[in-house]
Amino acid sequence: MGSLCREVVTLQLGHYSNFVGTHWWNIQDAALCYDVEPSDPYCEISNNVLFREGLTLQGQPTYTPRLILMDLKGTRIFQSSLDSGSLSSLKQEGALYGISQTEPAVTWKGNLTVHKEDPIIKNQFLQHLDRLSGEVHSNRNPNPTAFQGEERAVPVSVAERPLDLSQSTYRLESNVRVWSDYLRVHLHPKTISVIQQYNHNSSPDRFEAFGFGEKLIRDPAFLDDFEDRLHFYIEECDYLQGFHVLCDLQDGFAGLSAKVVELLNDEYGGKGIFTCGFTPTSYTDTNPVKEIYRLLNSVMGIVHLSSRSSIFCPMSLNRNVLGRKRISPVTFPHVMYDASLNYHSSAILATALETLTIPYRLQSSTVSLTQLSDALNLSGRKVITASASVPFPMRDTDTLPDVLCSQQTELPWIGLSPCGEFKDARCFAQSVVIRGVSSEQQVSNLAPGVKGASILHTCPTGEDVLSTFLHSHFPTTMSAVHLAQTPCKVTTPYPQFFTPSFNKWGQLTASGLSSASAVESIPVLTALQSSPVLHSVLHNLYREVSRLNLRKFSTFLSAGTELDDFKEVLEELRSLSQCYKMNFDMDESEDDSDAE
């Protein structure tokens, strides 16, 4: 199985999910390996699991994400992202895709008035991409239909190395308004789908209720377009192992995603479906009614997406974003991020996503997405949590046993799922990945006869080191461990929000002095867990929503959600929470009906 490509098709549904996805594809694009030996330890991740090779009509190769992404109109994406020829890191001359533009025939005999918008000014990063790829366009193509044309030939082989952006550092915090402002990869003509019925910026057309998303999939034109895109990618796969679904959880995209996952489950039964429900760390609109809508959408999304996916993982840097209680965002010891910027928060989530999906993307791995999902979702526990250490704190003189030994009394990761202040050291099953630690640093390499400082220092392999450490914290838990030497690339346009104590390889400097170099790569640790903490999280969510009078929120009901259906969803949420009880040691009184 390790020699098969085992393709995964990715769907990004929602504006914030596209923020996360853009960082994710940028990270992968920066690390693509072409002209290296297969035995190179830093080329151990299979590019072809998530990327596809194609040919233009002229026979020129292309390399693009196997991706369908959706967003609403009115986000300026067409003025800033659809002319993606200048964003390629693989083609250094010309645009990857294009269509011949011709003036439409004019049959009107009366007077004509022409209205033109001012061109959008590109930020410095995008201008740099233009220069590197030899493009001199003054504006991106504002016409979304331009992506429906044929692929245009470009005189560059896919075997070329990506554009070198490692020496360029831009502060994009004040320039990024939408996800396309920092997109560096080419997108296939089948990738971008725009939902024309709703607008981000128009109050009457807000996509704010679960039912609006469910209705979209019933539109024959929308469904036909989606299935055409989906079948295009699937029909060219040799061995489809499953799907990634990255979706917004707190607006109408939760409803759309639920229907999309239902369709995938019906048509491609047996394939793994890994769904991540993303929510921003903060909102500009904190109106109490809007917060209720976000809460209701989250509940509907959790129940429907978890039941239809192989595994479902809610992810956010806001520790209690699923409920209305406000808790400060999570903090990382070595990252100084601005929680109010989607550009920042999505970068951390994308870094975790890139690492936690490694087990079924390694060249040598025999683990599939379905197998990983089956190991985590036993007994109906399809909701899982994500955690990460970004960056994983290693000095250039440390070994993995040194770092983990110093963490013996606590876990070395920070939760990225909205579980509030709840903590539970127990776990049903988990998948833990460490990347960016060289083979030499994975073990202590003690001289014969030398006694190690701990049992971790005597382990012969990095996998043994990590397994032994996890066993000390979770002695009865089934743990799958994976180590990869390939670090996580964080070159431009990834934000440089790391503390100055890191060198360019993301290692803490032994001297403790500040480094003048921009960080180009980092080691990362991630964990996916089926955790008992979800019993309290889901049950508290059930209790909070049960107290609401849904009739007060007319838009939510008028969007298509029936009151009886919502009550059924609440009962399913309550039942789901019970799957995470361990030995019935939780307070049984919480199982009493809390509805008023």
mmCIF file of all heavy atoms in Angstrom, residues 313-357:
data_model
loop_
_atom_site.group_PDB
_atom_site.id
_atom_site.type_symbol
_atom_site.label_atom_id
_atom_site.label_comp_id
_atom_site.label_asym_id
_atom_site.label_seq_id
_atom_site.Cartn_x
_atom_site.Cartn_y
_atom_site.Cartn_z
ATOM 1 N N CYS A 313 -13.433 17.062 13.690
ATOM 2 C CA CYS A 313 -12.583 17.767 14.640
ATOM 3 C C CYS A 313 -12.892 19.263 14.606
ATOM 4 O O CYS A 313 -12.580 19.931 13.618
ATOM 5 C CB CYS A 313 -11.104 17.536 14.317
ATOM 6 S SG CYS A 313 -9.965 18.325 15.488
ATOM 7 N N PRO A 314 -13.524 19.812 15.657
ATOM 8 C CA PRO A 314 -13.691 21.271 15.727
ATOM 9 C C PRO A 314 -12.365 21.911 16.103
ATOM 10 O O PRO A 314 -11.682 21.448 17.026
ATOM 11 C CB PRO A 314 -14.740 21.448 16.824
ATOM 12 C CG PRO A 314 -14.595 20.240 17.696
ATOM 13 C CD PRO A 314 -14.125 19.127 16.809
ATOM 14 N N MET A 315 -11.983 22.985 15.408
ATOM 15 C CA MET A 315 -10.694 23.621 15.661
ATOM 16 C C MET A 315 -10.841 25.141 15.727
ATOM 17 O O MET A 315 -11.487 25.750 14.880
ATOM 18 C CB MET A 315 -9.675 23.250 14.570
ATOM 19 C CG MET A 315 -9.293 21.785 14.559
ATOM 20 S SD MET A 315 -8.032 21.385 13.308
ATOM 21 C CE MET A 315 -6.599 22.220 14.013
ATOM 22 N N SER A 316 -10.241 25.718 16.741
ATOM 23 C CA SER A 316 -10.233 27.162 16.910
ATOM 24 C C SER A 316 -9.199 27.512 17.970
ATOM 25 O O SER A 316 -8.865 26.688 18.822
ATOM 26 C CB SER A 316 -11.610 27.676 17.337
ATOM 27 O OG SER A 316 -11.576 29.068 17.578
ATOM 28 N N LEU A 317 -8.699 28.749 17.917
ATOM 29 C CA LEU A 317 -7.818 29.232 18.973
ATOM 30 C C LEU A 317 -8.616 29.886 20.094
ATOM 31 O O LEU A 317 -8.046 30.298 21.098
ATOM 32 C CB LEU A 317 -6.794 30.230 18.414
ATOM 33 C CG LEU A 317 -5.862 29.680 17.343
ATOM 34 C CD1 LEU A 317 -4.788 30.704 16.998
ATOM 35 C CD2 LEU A 317 -5.222 28.374 17.783
ATOM 36 N N ASN A 318 -9.933 29.995 19.917
ATOM 37 C CA ASN A 318 -10.817 30.454 20.981
ATOM 38 C C ASN A 318 -11.243 29.220 21.763
ATOM 39 O O ASN A 318 -11.934 28.346 21.231
ATOM 40 C CB ASN A 318 -12.035 31.169 20.403
ATOM 41 C CG ASN A 318 -12.895 31.798 21.479
ATOM 42 O OD1 ASN A 318 -12.945 31.346 22.613
ATOM 43 N ND2 ASN A 318 -13.590 32.864 21.116
ATOM 44 N N ARG A 319 -10.879 29.138 23.014
ATOM 45 C CA ARG A 319 -11.067 27.908 23.775
ATOM 46 C C ARG A 319 -12.525 27.554 24.023
ATOM 47 O O ARG A 319 -12.842 26.416 24.317
ATOM 48 C CB ARG A 319 -10.335 28.007 25.119
ATOM 49 C CG ARG A 319 -8.830 27.922 24.971
ATOM 50 C CD ARG A 319 -8.137 28.103 26.302
ATOM 51 N NE ARG A 319 -8.254 29.478 26.787
ATOM 52 C CZ ARG A 319 -7.708 29.905 27.923
ATOM 53 N NH1 ARG A 319 -7.032 29.057 28.677
ATOM 54 N NH2 ARG A 319 -7.840 31.164 28.302
ATOM 55 N N ASN A 320 -13.433 28.506 23.925
ATOM 56 C CA ASN A 320 -14.839 28.196 24.190
ATOM 57 C C ASN A 320 -15.739 28.786 23.127
ATOM 58 O O ASN A 320 -16.812 29.305 23.413
ATOM 59 C CB ASN A 320 -15.261 28.717 25.569
ATOM 60 C CG ASN A 320 -16.428 27.928 26.137
ATOM 61 O OD1 ASN A 320 -16.457 26.711 26.041
ATOM 62 N ND2 ASN A 320 -17.394 28.613 26.719
ATOM 63 N N VAL A 321 -15.295 28.719 21.888
ATOM 64 C CA VAL A 321 -16.033 29.370 20.815
ATOM 65 C C VAL A 321 -17.375 28.697 20.540
ATOM 66 O O VAL A 321 -18.250 29.286 19.936
ATOM 67 C CB VAL A 321 -15.162 29.411 19.540
ATOM 68 C CG1 VAL A 321 -15.133 28.062 18.866
ATOM 69 C CG2 VAL A 321 -15.627 30.491 18.597
ATOM 70 N N LEU A 322 -17.574 27.470 20.968
ATOM 71 C CA LEU A 322 -18.834 26.792 20.707
ATOM 72 C C LEU A 322 -19.957 27.330 21.594
ATOM 73 O O LEU A 322 -21.122 27.252 21.250
ATOM 74 C CB LEU A 322 -18.680 25.279 20.920
ATOM 75 C CG LEU A 322 -17.706 24.580 19.980
ATOM 76 C CD1 LEU A 322 -17.665 23.092 20.280
ATOM 77 C CD2 LEU A 322 -18.083 24.817 18.528
ATOM 78 N N GLY A 323 -19.611 27.850 22.737
ATOM 79 C CA GLY A 323 -20.605 28.436 23.620
ATOM 80 C C GLY A 323 -20.494 29.945 23.632
ATOM 81 O O GLY A 323 -19.680 30.537 22.937
ATOM 82 N N ARG A 324 -21.330 30.592 24.451
ATOM 83 C CA ARG A 324 -21.331 32.056 24.479
ATOM 84 C C ARG A 324 -20.388 32.617 25.526
ATOM 85 O O ARG A 324 -20.056 33.792 25.496
ATOM 86 C CB ARG A 324 -22.753 32.558 24.731
ATOM 87 C CG ARG A 324 -23.672 32.406 23.530
ATOM 88 C CD ARG A 324 -25.061 32.889 23.883
ATOM 89 N NE ARG A 324 -25.702 31.995 24.847
ATOM 90 C CZ ARG A 324 -26.817 32.301 25.505
ATOM 91 N NH1 ARG A 324 -27.388 33.481 25.323
ATOM 92 N NH2 ARG A 324 -27.365 31.435 26.341
ATOM 93 N N LYS A 325 -19.965 31.813 26.480
ATOM 94 C CA LYS A 325 -19.046 32.297 27.499
ATOM 95 C C LYS A 325 -17.716 32.657 26.859
ATOM 96 O O LYS A 325 -17.134 31.868 26.127
ATOM 97 C CB LYS A 325 -18.830 31.220 28.565
ATOM 98 C CG LYS A 325 -17.891 31.660 29.688
ATOM 99 C CD LYS A 325 -17.699 30.539 30.690
ATOM 100 C CE LYS A 325 -16.724 30.944 31.785
ATOM 101 N NZ LYS A 325 -16.496 29.844 32.758
ATOM 102 N N ARG A 326 -17.246 33.863 27.143
ATOM 103 C CA ARG A 326 -16.032 34.345 26.500
ATOM 104 C C ARG A 326 -14.810 34.028 27.356
ATOM 105 O O ARG A 326 -14.739 34.367 28.530
ATOM 106 C CB ARG A 326 -16.118 35.845 26.239
ATOM 107 C CG ARG A 326 -17.204 36.188 25.228
ATOM 108 C CD ARG A 326 -16.998 37.568 24.637
ATOM 109 N NE ARG A 326 -17.926 37.773 23.551
ATOM 110 C CZ ARG A 326 -17.732 37.357 22.314
ATOM 111 N NH1 ARG A 326 -16.636 36.704 22.022
ATOM 112 N NH2 ARG A 326 -18.615 37.582 21.370
ATOM 113 N N ILE A 327 -13.860 33.338 26.741
ATOM 114 C CA ILE A 327 -12.599 33.002 27.381
ATOM 115 C C ILE A 327 -11.486 33.502 26.474
ATOM 116 O O ILE A 327 -11.603 33.481 25.251
ATOM 117 C CB ILE A 327 -12.475 31.473 27.595
ATOM 118 C CG1 ILE A 327 -13.632 30.973 28.468
ATOM 119 C CG2 ILE A 327 -11.149 31.121 28.233
ATOM 120 C CD1 ILE A 327 -13.614 29.480 28.707
ATOM 121 N N SER A 328 -10.416 33.947 27.063
ATOM 122 C CA SER A 328 -9.312 34.479 26.257
ATOM 123 C C SER A 328 -8.759 33.403 25.335
ATOM 124 O O SER A 328 -8.767 32.213 25.672
ATOM 125 C CB SER A 328 -8.206 35.008 27.164
ATOM 126 O OG SER A 328 -7.717 33.967 28.003
ATOM 127 N N PRO A 329 -8.262 33.785 24.155
ATOM 128 C CA PRO A 329 -7.703 32.809 23.214
ATOM 129 C C PRO A 329 -6.497 32.091 23.807
ATOM 130 O O PRO A 329 -5.867 32.561 24.757
ATOM 131 C CB PRO A 329 -7.292 33.677 22.014
ATOM 132 C CG PRO A 329 -8.085 34.935 22.150
ATOM 133 C CD PRO A 329 -8.254 35.154 23.619
ATOM 134 N N VAL A 330 -6.179 30.951 23.238
ATOM 135 C CA VAL A 330 -5.022 30.190 23.706
ATOM 136 C C VAL A 330 -3.745 30.972 23.408
ATOM 137 O O VAL A 330 -3.692 31.795 22.485
ATOM 138 C CB VAL A 330 -4.952 28.804 23.033
ATOM 139 C CG1 VAL A 330 -6.182 27.992 23.369
ATOM 140 C CG2 VAL A 330 -4.797 28.929 21.518
ATOM 141 N N THR A 331 -2.740 30.719 24.196
ATOM 142 C CA THR A 331 -1.440 31.357 23.992
ATOM 143 C C THR A 331 -0.387 30.291 23.777
ATOM 144 O O THR A 331 -0.511 29.156 24.260
ATOM 145 C CB THR A 331 -1.052 32.228 25.195
ATOM 146 O OG1 THR A 331 -1.012 31.412 26.390
ATOM 147 C CG2 THR A 331 -2.047 33.360 25.393
ATOM 148 N N PHE A 332 0.650 30.655 23.046
ATOM 149 C CA PHE A 332 1.765 29.762 22.776
ATOM 150 C C PHE A 332 3.038 30.418 23.315
ATOM 151 O O PHE A 332 3.242 31.627 23.134
ATOM 152 C CB PHE A 332 1.901 29.496 21.279
ATOM 153 C CG PHE A 332 0.721 28.785 20.682
ATOM 154 C CD1 PHE A 332 -0.404 29.484 20.287
ATOM 155 C CD2 PHE A 332 0.728 27.403 20.528
ATOM 156 C CE1 PHE A 332 -1.502 28.834 19.755
ATOM 157 C CE2 PHE A 332 -0.358 26.745 19.999
ATOM 158 C CZ PHE A 332 -1.482 27.461 19.614
ATOM 159 N N PRO A 333 3.910 29.653 23.975
ATOM 160 C CA PRO A 333 5.079 30.239 24.618
ATOM 161 C C PRO A 333 5.999 31.011 23.681
ATOM 162 O O PRO A 333 6.660 31.954 24.097
ATOM 163 C CB PRO A 333 5.800 29.018 25.211
ATOM 164 C CG PRO A 333 4.762 27.964 25.328
ATOM 165 C CD PRO A 333 3.816 28.198 24.196
ATOM 166 N N HIS A 334 6.030 30.597 22.407
ATOM 167 C CA HIS A 334 7.023 31.171 21.502
ATOM 168 C C HIS A 334 6.395 31.833 20.272
ATOM 169 O O HIS A 334 7.063 32.027 19.263
ATOM 170 C CB HIS A 334 8.020 30.098 21.063
ATOM 171 C CG HIS A 334 8.698 29.410 22.213
ATOM 172 N ND1 HIS A 334 9.621 30.041 23.005
ATOM 173 C CD2 HIS A 334 8.569 28.156 22.703
ATOM 174 C CE1 HIS A 334 10.050 29.199 23.936
ATOM 175 N NE2 HIS A 334 9.421 28.058 23.782
ATOM 176 N N VAL A 335 5.093 32.154 20.364
ATOM 177 C CA VAL A 335 4.396 32.805 19.247
ATOM 178 C C VAL A 335 3.687 34.042 19.771
ATOM 179 O O VAL A 335 2.948 33.984 20.752
ATOM 180 C CB VAL A 335 3.374 31.858 18.582
ATOM 181 C CG1 VAL A 335 2.603 32.581 17.494
ATOM 182 C CG2 VAL A 335 4.074 30.636 18.005
ATOM 183 N N MET A 336 3.908 35.165 19.122
ATOM 184 C CA MET A 336 3.249 36.421 19.490
ATOM 185 C C MET A 336 2.251 36.785 18.398
ATOM 186 O O MET A 336 2.528 37.598 17.523
ATOM 187 C CB MET A 336 4.298 37.524 19.660
ATOM 188 C CG MET A 336 5.346 37.224 20.719
ATOM 189 S SD MET A 336 6.653 38.491 20.831
ATOM 190 C CE MET A 336 7.466 38.253 19.244
ATOM 191 N N TYR A 337 1.086 36.147 18.434
ATOM 192 C CA TYR A 337 0.109 36.361 17.365
ATOM 193 C C TYR A 337 -0.993 37.294 17.824
ATOM 194 O O TYR A 337 -1.261 37.442 19.011
ATOM 195 C CB TYR A 337 -0.460 35.024 16.889
ATOM 196 C CG TYR A 337 -1.516 34.410 17.785
ATOM 197 C CD1 TYR A 337 -2.871 34.542 17.483
ATOM 198 C CD2 TYR A 337 -1.169 33.677 18.925
ATOM 199 C CE1 TYR A 337 -3.844 33.973 18.278
ATOM 200 C CE2 TYR A 337 -2.136 33.107 19.735
ATOM 201 C CZ TYR A 337 -3.467 33.250 19.410
ATOM 202 O OH TYR A 337 -4.439 32.692 20.207
ATOM 203 N N ASP A 338 -1.636 37.912 16.847
ATOM 204 C CA ASP A 338 -2.762 38.810 17.094
ATOM 205 C C ASP A 338 -4.051 38.020 16.853
ATOM 206 O O ASP A 338 -4.379 37.687 15.710
ATOM 207 C CB ASP A 338 -2.678 40.021 16.159
ATOM 208 C CG ASP A 338 -3.754 41.064 16.442
ATOM 209 O OD1 ASP A 338 -4.754 40.736 17.096
ATOM 210 O OD2 ASP A 338 -3.594 42.213 15.972
ATOM 211 N N ALA A 339 -4.767 37.726 17.923
ATOM 212 C CA ALA A 339 -5.958 36.882 17.812
ATOM 213 C C ALA A 339 -7.051 37.514 16.971
ATOM 214 O O ALA A 339 -7.947 36.824 16.493
ATOM 215 C CB ALA A 339 -6.490 36.555 19.207
ATOM 216 N N SER A 340 -7.009 38.829 16.785
ATOM 217 C CA SER A 340 -8.044 39.497 16.002
ATOM 218 C C SER A 340 -7.811 39.381 14.500
ATOM 219 O O SER A 340 -8.681 39.735 13.702
ATOM 220 C CB SER A 340 -8.130 40.973 16.385
ATOM 221 O OG SER A 340 -6.949 41.667 16.000
ATOM 222 N N LEU A 341 -6.641 38.896 14.088
ATOM 223 C CA LEU A 341 -6.304 38.776 12.672
ATOM 224 C C LEU A 341 -6.513 37.345 12.191
ATOM 225 O O LEU A 341 -5.850 36.413 12.664
ATOM 226 C CB LEU A 341 -4.846 39.185 12.427
ATOM 227 C CG LEU A 341 -4.455 40.634 12.726
ATOM 228 C CD1 LEU A 341 -2.970 40.840 12.446
ATOM 229 C CD2 LEU A 341 -5.292 41.602 11.907
ATOM 230 N N ASN A 342 -7.420 37.154 11.233
ATOM 231 C CA ASN A 342 -7.595 35.830 10.640
ATOM 232 C C ASN A 342 -6.310 35.340 9.987
ATOM 233 O O ASN A 342 -6.029 34.137 9.960
ATOM 234 C CB ASN A 342 -8.719 35.864 9.609
ATOM 235 C CG ASN A 342 -10.084 36.011 10.242
ATOM 236 O OD1 ASN A 342 -10.253 35.809 11.440
ATOM 237 N ND2 ASN A 342 -11.081 36.365 9.444
ATOM 238 N N TYR A 343 -5.536 36.253 9.449
ATOM 239 C CA TYR A 343 -4.247 35.923 8.828
ATOM 240 C C TYR A 343 -3.313 35.249 9.824
ATOM 241 O O TYR A 343 -2.566 34.334 9.471
ATOM 242 C CB TYR A 343 -3.639 37.214 8.279
ATOM 243 C CG TYR A 343 -2.212 37.134 7.813
ATOM 244 C CD1 TYR A 343 -1.831 36.300 6.767
ATOM 245 C CD2 TYR A 343 -1.230 37.929 8.418
ATOM 246 C CE1 TYR A 343 -0.510 36.250 6.334
ATOM 247 C CE2 TYR A 343 0.080 37.896 7.987
ATOM 248 C CZ TYR A 343 0.440 37.051 6.948
ATOM 249 O OH TYR A 343 1.743 37.004 6.531
ATOM 250 N N HIS A 344 -3.363 35.643 11.087
ATOM 251 C CA HIS A 344 -2.521 35.049 12.124
ATOM 252 C C HIS A 344 -3.094 33.741 12.658
ATOM 253 O O HIS A 344 -2.419 32.711 12.677
ATOM 254 C CB HIS A 344 -2.336 36.032 13.277
ATOM 255 C CG HIS A 344 -1.216 37.006 13.080
ATOM 256 N ND1 HIS A 344 -0.719 37.790 14.100
ATOM 257 C CD2 HIS A 344 -0.498 37.325 11.983
ATOM 258 C CE1 HIS A 344 0.260 38.549 13.645
ATOM 259 N NE2 HIS A 344 0.398 38.296 12.357
ATOM 260 N N SER A 345 -4.335 33.793 13.129
ATOM 261 C CA SER A 345 -4.910 32.604 13.772
ATOM 262 C C SER A 345 -5.001 31.431 12.808
ATOM 263 O O SER A 345 -4.737 30.283 13.187
ATOM 264 C CB SER A 345 -6.290 32.933 14.342
ATOM 265 O OG SER A 345 -7.201 33.329 13.326
ATOM 266 N N SER A 346 -5.344 31.696 11.559
ATOM 267 C CA SER A 346 -5.454 30.606 10.581
ATOM 268 C C SER A 346 -4.104 29.980 10.275
ATOM 269 O O SER A 346 -4.026 28.797 9.916
ATOM 270 C CB SER A 346 -6.104 31.119 9.296
ATOM 271 O OG SER A 346 -5.329 32.140 8.687
ATOM 272 N N ALA A 347 -3.016 30.750 10.399
ATOM 273 C CA ALA A 347 -1.689 30.208 10.146
ATOM 274 C C ALA A 347 -1.342 29.119 11.162
ATOM 275 O O ALA A 347 -0.783 28.073 10.815
ATOM 276 C CB ALA A 347 -0.642 31.321 10.184
ATOM 277 N N ILE A 348 -1.684 29.350 12.416
ATOM 278 C CA ILE A 348 -1.398 28.349 13.454
ATOM 279 C C ILE A 348 -2.231 27.096 13.223
ATOM 280 O O ILE A 348 -1.731 25.965 13.317
ATOM 281 C CB ILE A 348 -1.674 28.947 14.841
ATOM 282 C CG1 ILE A 348 -0.718 30.119 15.109
ATOM 283 C CG2 ILE A 348 -1.524 27.886 15.920
ATOM 284 C CD1 ILE A 348 -0.997 30.863 16.393
ATOM 285 N N LEU A 349 -3.513 27.263 12.903
ATOM 286 C CA LEU A 349 -4.369 26.107 12.644
ATOM 287 C C LEU A 349 -3.902 25.339 11.419
ATOM 288 O O LEU A 349 -3.924 24.101 11.403
ATOM 289 C CB LEU A 349 -5.817 26.564 12.478
ATOM 290 C CG LEU A 349 -6.460 27.197 13.715
ATOM 291 C CD1 LEU A 349 -7.857 27.701 13.392
ATOM 292 C CD2 LEU A 349 -6.515 26.201 14.863
ATOM 293 N N ALA A 350 -3.462 26.053 10.385
ATOM 294 C CA ALA A 350 -2.970 25.386 9.173
ATOM 295 C C ALA A 350 -1.690 24.612 9.458
ATOM 296 O O ALA A 350 -1.475 23.525 8.907
ATOM 297 C CB ALA A 350 -2.731 26.413 8.074
ATOM 298 N N THR A 351 -0.833 25.148 10.304
ATOM 299 C CA THR A 351 0.398 24.454 10.680
ATOM 300 C C THR A 351 0.081 23.144 11.377
ATOM 301 O O THR A 351 0.709 22.107 11.105
ATOM 302 C CB THR A 351 1.238 25.352 11.607
ATOM 303 O OG1 THR A 351 1.500 26.591 10.953
ATOM 304 C CG2 THR A 351 2.550 24.684 11.969
ATOM 305 N N ALA A 352 -0.904 23.174 12.271
ATOM 306 C CA ALA A 352 -1.321 21.943 12.936
ATOM 307 C C ALA A 352 -1.930 20.962 11.935
ATOM 308 O O ALA A 352 -1.615 19.765 11.952
ATOM 309 C CB ALA A 352 -2.325 22.267 14.036
ATOM 310 N N LEU A 353 -2.795 21.449 11.051
ATOM 311 C CA LEU A 353 -3.435 20.589 10.054
ATOM 312 C C LEU A 353 -2.415 19.918 9.161
ATOM 313 O O LEU A 353 -2.520 18.721 8.846
ATOM 314 C CB LEU A 353 -4.416 21.414 9.213
ATOM 315 C CG LEU A 353 -5.195 20.670 8.138
ATOM 316 C CD1 LEU A 353 -6.152 19.670 8.758
ATOM 317 C CD2 LEU A 353 -5.952 21.649 7.250
ATOM 318 N N GLU A 354 -1.399 20.669 8.755
ATOM 319 C CA GLU A 354 -0.366 20.113 7.888
ATOM 320 C C GLU A 354 0.383 18.968 8.561
ATOM 321 O O GLU A 354 0.786 18.007 7.900
ATOM 322 C CB GLU A 354 0.604 21.232 7.478
ATOM 323 C CG GLU A 354 1.923 20.797 6.882
ATOM 324 C CD GLU A 354 1.787 20.019 5.594
ATOM 325 O OE1 GLU A 354 0.669 19.853 5.059
ATOM 326 O OE2 GLU A 354 2.829 19.529 5.112
ATOM 327 N N THR A 355 0.553 19.047 9.874
ATOM 328 C CA THR A 355 1.293 18.006 10.589
ATOM 329 C C THR A 355 0.417 16.837 10.987
ATOM 330 O O THR A 355 0.816 15.677 10.845
ATOM 331 C CB THR A 355 1.965 18.614 11.840
ATOM 332 O OG1 THR A 355 2.852 19.665 11.428
ATOM 333 C CG2 THR A 355 2.764 17.568 12.601
ATOM 334 N N LEU A 356 -0.792 17.084 11.449
ATOM 335 C CA LEU A 356 -1.611 15.974 11.932
ATOM 336 C C LEU A 356 -2.127 15.084 10.811
ATOM 337 O O LEU A 356 -2.586 13.962 11.065
ATOM 338 C CB LEU A 356 -2.755 16.497 12.810
ATOM 339 C CG LEU A 356 -3.763 17.497 12.233
ATOM 340 C CD1 LEU A 356 -4.875 16.824 11.478
ATOM 341 C CD2 LEU A 356 -4.340 18.343 13.375
ATOM 342 N N THR A 357 -2.058 15.549 9.554
ATOM 343 C CA THR A 357 -2.462 14.704 8.416
ATOM 344 C C THR A 357 -1.304 13.905 7.836
ATOM 345 O O THR A 357 -1.484 13.174 6.851
ATOM 346 C CB THR A 357 -3.080 15.571 7.301
ATOM 347 O OG1 THR A 357 -2.129 16.571 6.888
ATOM 348 C CG2 THR A 357 -4.353 16.255 7.765
#
